[in-house]
Amino acid sequence: MAVDAATAPSELDGSIRGEGEVAAKPPPSAAAPAARESPEELDRRYAPYARRDAYGPMGRGPLGAAEAARMAVAAAVLLPLRVVAGVLVLVAYYLVCRVCTLWVEEERAGGEGEGYARLQGWRRAWVVRCGRALSRAMLFVFGFYWIREHDRRFPDAEGKDLGHSELLERPGAIVSNHVSYVDILYHMSSSLPSFVAKRSVARLPLVGLISKCIGCIFVQRESKTSDFKGVSGAVTERIQRAHQQKNSPMMLLFPEGTTTNGDYLLPFKTGAFLARAPVQPVILRYPYKRFSPAWDSMDGARHVFLLLCQFVNHLEVVHLPVYYPSEQEKDDPKLYADNVRKLMAVEGNLILSDLGLAEKRVYHAALNGNNSLPRALHKKDD
């Protein structure tokens, strides 16, 4: 499982300087009585995390007879088939990765494991090709039969000198809004980038070897060794490498640091922009009729269950042009992050919000009737 770009230590102060609608941030003093507010009031206060589908807050809303019957049939027939198919796809990619890493020594670098990030030749080619194909197969298993994509990466390429260095300059990172764990599957099917993961992921059955092969950065946050560079330094180094080396996998980063319901864009952390390299902005949207694939305010097991029980899921993707930072933006990662965020909000018709992970924790605590968690407002997003 990927760890969001929130793990980077640098972060914005939450100020909004872009155009468009802005969702106000609740003051800390308003957090304590949040659990006593009605669900409607909570949804208005914490709008970026509010579910508006047929299943209601936390996916526990009352269902009509027709919806309940549909759910029962899907749970009995569709769910088992998808679980089996998903496991088969995962095992297939594990076997590919196992073959591609035979007689290859795993790389290590200080506190962060490099895994097999530097695979070359046929090994790298097979990991990428099979990874993209099987990730798309997994999306199909999840009910994403068609994905609508809008490619705006080269809107002004016609008539330009394609030898211009800027057109050939490779981005070092993909910067995406974060709506669901499905985001990672899509990006793997599109370009198979690397991402940041906890060190414990490397030890998981099947997933561990796969994450090493696609070049994930494994971070042991508790490490206190002198050669531990931290998340920010490791991400910056990998972005610069991807920017300079064509065969190096790009980094996938979610600078919001947490998921939303897909209608909002939270403040960006600056970790993705410290490398001074161009980035590839991507916007994801999940249209729905009954169940929203957005993983905003629901526990993981319930969300996966409902997602697999929905026969068809929809995904729309917008690939924006590569964003080349100015010299001023290179010297000011906060400005760079803010400008990319404003561009994505305009192009994706997203509402700017200054809420963050701390407010999301308060919202979840309030939905669960827990008054002890508003202290989360005073915790650093991690």
Side-chain angles (χ1 to χ4, degrees), residues 11 19 29 43 46 57 59 78 88 121 173 220 251 361 369:
E11 56 187 9
E19 298 177 355
S29 59
D43 287 350
Y46 301 100
L78 190 60
L88 291 176
Q220 184 176 342
M251 288 295 301
R361 289 171 175 155

Side-chain angles (χ1 to χ4, degrees), residues 84-95 134 138 205-207 210:
V84 171
V87 171
L88 291 176
V89 171
L90 184 63
V91 170
Y93 193 35
Y94 169 81
L95 294 176
L134 292 173
M138 186 69 82
L206 304 181
V207 176
I210 292 173

Side-chain angles (χ1 to χ4, degrees), residues 178-306:
H178 202 9
V179 185
S180 173
Y181 47 82
V182 179
D183 302 350
I184 298 170
L185 277 178
Y186 168 74
H187 286 293
M188 288 182 65
S189 71
S190 176
S191 57
L192 203 79
S194 303
F195 45 82
V196 180
K198 294 180 181 179
R199 179 169 292 280
S200 58
V201 172
R203 297 190 292 269
L204 293 176
L206 304 181
V207 176
L209 179 62
I210 292 173
S211 60
K212 291 178 182 179
C213 281
I214 64 178
C216 287
I217 297 176
F218 298 109
V219 178
Q220 184 176 342
R221 296 184 188 178
E222 297 79 10
S223 176
K224 302 296 183 181
T225 59
S226 58
D227 58 354
F228 180 71
K229 295 174 292 185
V231 180
S232 180
V235 168
T236 299
E237 180 181 323
R238 187 67 69 82
I239 292 175
Q240 291 172 340
R241 183 196 305 173
H243 173 52
Q244 297 167 0
Q245 301 177 13
K246 180 179 179 181
N247 294 326
S248 182
M250 286 194 294
M251 288 295 301
L252 167 63
L253 295 165
F254 301 109
E256 293 172 282
T258 189
T259 54
T260 69
N261 58 20
D263 296 327
Y264 292 79
L265 201 60
L266 307 182
F268 279 8
K269 314 300 180 184
T270 57
F273 307 94
L274 296 173
R276 301 163 59 93
V279 297
Q280 172 69 69
V282 177
I283 302 168
L284 305 179
R285 299 294 293 264
Y286 293 84
Y288 65 91
K289 292 183 178 179
R290 293 193 302 274
F291 174 73
S292 170
W295 190 27
D296 36 34
S297 59
M298 188 185 305
D299 68 82
R302 183 186 297 270
H303 192 279
V304 172
F305 172 80
L306 293 174

Side-chain angles (χ1 to χ4, degrees), residues 117-153:
R118 298 178 186 267
L119 286 177
Q120 300 292 332
W122 67 268
R123 300 175 188 272
R124 176 64 186 168
W126 272 93
V127 166
V128 172
R129 292 174 184 173
C130 294
R132 293 182 61 181
L134 292 173
S135 295
R136 184 63 186 92
M138 186 69 82
L139 286 169
F140 191 91
V141 169
F142 274 41
F144 293 91
Y145 307 123
W146 305 277
I147 297 177
R148 188 176 179 182
E149 299 189 72
H150 305 275
D151 196 337
R152 305 177 188 171
R153 279 175 281 197

